[in-house]
Amino acid sequence: MAAPQTTAPRPHTPEEVTATVRQFIGRLSGRPAIEDDRPLISDGVLDSVAAVQMVDFVERTFDVEIADEDLELANFDSIRGLAGLVNRRLAAS
């Protein structure tokens, strides 16, 4: 009897990543219509606790690991920055 085939998860397109991150940030901030380039942490939209939640969300949702060197403001201060980090991590895996 042949072993059951497993299908690899479908790769996330950059557009899907951005949409997923945008939706999460909207829920986290209580502001569903935040622009992709709006500073989230430096403008006080989100606090440091939210930044920790973003790391957890990214790692669980996209099955990527955020390395210590990724923990810089530019990667977490906007939807575009966070989506870019996820896309780089997905491309590297």
Side-chain angles (χ1 to χ4, degrees), residues 12 20-21 24 27 54-64 86 90:
H12 297 282
T20 302
V21 168
F24 173 74
R27 284 193 319 265
M54 285 191 283
V55 171
D56 182 60
F57 169 78
V58 164
E59 289 183 331
R60 285 184 301 104
T61 302
F62 299 103
D63 195 27
V64 296
V86 171
L90 288 171

Side-chain angles (χ1 to χ4, degrees), residues 28-29 40-42 44-54 76:
L28 189 61
S29 68
L40 300 172
I41 297 169
S42 60
V45 175
L46 299 174
D47 60 17
S48 58
V49 173
V52 172
Q53 291 173 313
M54 285 191 283
F76 293 92

Side-chain angles (χ1 to χ4, degrees), residues 1-75:
M1 179 187 248
Q5 289 186 353
T6 59
T7 56
R10 187 172 69 101
H12 297 282
T13 68
E15 295 81 14
E16 290 171 328
V17 168
T18 300
T20 302
V21 168
R22 188 182 299 119
Q23 183 179 34
F24 173 74
I25 297 298
R27 284 193 319 265
L28 189 61
S29 68
R31 301 176 186 181
I34 294 178
E35 303 84 20
D36 289 356
D37 291 320
R38 167 102 189 257
L40 300 172
I41 297 169
S42 60
D43 268 5
V45 175
L46 299 174
D47 60 17
S48 58
V49 173
V52 172
Q53 291 173 313
M54 285 191 283
V55 171
D56 182 60
F57 169 78
V58 164
E59 289 183 331
R60 285 184 301 104
T61 302
F62 299 103
D63 195 27
V64 296
E65 183 176 335
I66 302 301
D68 289 344
E69 62 266 14
D70 296 325
L71 298 176
E72 57 184 54
L73 185 59
N75 288 329

